[in-house]
């Protein structure tokens, strides 16, 4: 009996050592896995931070370039334009930088056509506000709507049809006549045509204005 008990104790001790060894190995594996997970998480977080930082740098660069252009095309009127667009942007929940970018694009259309810079600044600001209203009314993009307006101003009238704005040669001539312009077709200036088109765009969006 004593011999059997001794053998049993040895077997139990061996079993205990095996269990202890197994638990120890599992603990080490778990700790190693924890370190690996931490490393992976750290790499992912570091990558996300790096991408975010890169995006911020790119955005800051884009804003700086836009404002540099805006300062040139608006000249001495850039301060008042930014102030007005900031107030409008806060009221309608739009980015001031995006609005300023839209305004500078169309300003760069008005000025080369002969509009005085101050007058062009007022028209550009007005058109940006109208574009936001029309975009909201039609569930469209502000930027795309502004591009459509800008294109229509220089003669591509089809771009604004989707907003219910119809500009034909007959309506254009009628608007020019209403403006007091009594000239032959060849005598009418590009500036006068742009002003007439702008008037027709404004007249064709009365339902959306203030939306």
């Amino acid at each position: 009996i004593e011999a059997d008990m001794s053998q049993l104790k040895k077997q139990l001790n061996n079993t205990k050592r095996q269990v202890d060894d197994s638990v120890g190995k599992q603990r080490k594996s778990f700790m190693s896995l924890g370190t690996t997970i931490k490393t992976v998480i750290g790499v992912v977080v570091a990558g996300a931070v790096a991408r975010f930082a890169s995006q911020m740098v790119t955005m800051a660069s884009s804003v700086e370039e836009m404002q540099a252009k805006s300062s040139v095309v608006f000249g001495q009127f850039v301060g008042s334009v930014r102030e007005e667009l900031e107030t409008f942007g806060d009221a309608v929940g739009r980015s001031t930088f995006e609005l300023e970018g839209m305004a500078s694009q169309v300003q760069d259309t008005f000025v080369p056509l002969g509009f005085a810079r101050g007058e062009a600044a007022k028209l550009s600001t007005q058109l940006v506000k109208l574009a936001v209203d029309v975009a909201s009314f039609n569930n469209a993009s502000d930027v795309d709507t502004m591009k459509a307006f800008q294109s229509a101003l220089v003669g591509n009238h089809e771009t604004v049809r989707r907003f219910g704005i119809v500009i034909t040669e007959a309506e254009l001539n009628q608007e020019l006549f209403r403006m007091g312009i009594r000239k032959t077709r060849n005598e009418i200036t590009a500036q006068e045509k742009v002003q007439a088109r702008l008037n027709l765009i404004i007249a064709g969006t009365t339902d959306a204005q203030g939306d």
Side-chain angles (χ1 to χ4, degrees):
I1 295 175
E2 291 181 358
D4 291 340
M5 290 298 294
S6 178
Q7 185 64 29
L8 179 60
K9 286 181 180 179
K10 287 181 181 180
Q11 291 177 353
L12 288 174
N13 288 333
N14 289 335
T15 302
K16 182 177 182 299
R17 281 195 299 269
Q18 290 174 359
V19 171
D20 289 342
D21 289 343
S22 177
V23 170
K25 290 177 181 179
Q26 291 296 328
R27 183 182 294 111
K28 289 180 180 178
S29 297
F30 181 78
M31 293 301 293
S32 176
L33 180 61
T35 302
T36 302
I37 291 174
K38 289 177 182 178
T39 302
V40 170
I41 293 175
V43 170
V44 171
V45 170
V49 170
R51 287 193 297 272
F52 179 75
S54 177
Q55 291 172 353
M56 290 299 99
V57 170
T58 301
M59 183 182 297
S61 177
S62 298
V63 169
E64 186 176 351
E65 290 176 3
M66 181 277 294
Q67 288 187 324
K69 176 181 179 178
S70 183
S71 296
V72 172
V73 296
F74 287 113
Q76 62 180 316
F77 305 100
V78 68
S80 59
V81 169
R82 285 175 179 167
E83 183 178 352
E84 185 171 352
L85 290 178
E86 182 177 2
T87 301
F88 177 71
D90 290 344
V92 297
R94 296 296 193 279
S95 163
T96 303
F97 298 122
E98 183 178 279
L99 296 177
E100 185 178 338
M102 291 163 58
S104 64
Q105 288 291 336
V106 74
Q107 175 80 355
D108 206 20
T109 298
F110 284 134
V111 173
L113 288 171
F115 287 86
R117 205 169 293 275
E119 178 186 5
K122 292 179 181 179
L123 293 176
S124 297
T125 304
Q126 179 185 15
L127 200 58
V128 165
K129 294 179 179 180
L130 182 61
V132 172
D133 281 345
V134 172
S136 175
F137 189 75
N138 291 278
N139 194 28
S141 160
D142 296 344
V143 174
D144 289 345
T145 302
M146 191 62 174
K147 287 180 179 178
F149 284 178
Q150 189 174 359
S151 186
L153 287 175
V154 295
N156 189 7
H157 303 154
E158 292 298 320
T159 60
V160 293
R161 279 186 178 272
R162 61 192 176 113
F163 303 120
I165 306 168
V166 179
I167 303 176
T168 63
E169 285 300 314
E171 290 176 327
L172 185 61
N173 291 332
Q174 186 177 356
E175 179 60 25
L176 287 166
F177 186 82
R178 190 195 66 78
M179 291 165 58
I181 298 173
R182 311 286 194 272
K183 297 180 181 179
T184 65
R185 183 174 182 178
N186 293 332
E187 292 174 334
I188 298 172
T189 67
Q191 180 182 345
E192 290 167 338
K193 287 182 180 179
V194 168
Q195 182 64 64
R197 292 182 184 116
L198 178 59
N199 293 346
L200 291 172
I201 289 173
I202 294 172
T205 56
T206 53
D207 287 344
Q209 291 170 26
D211 183 68

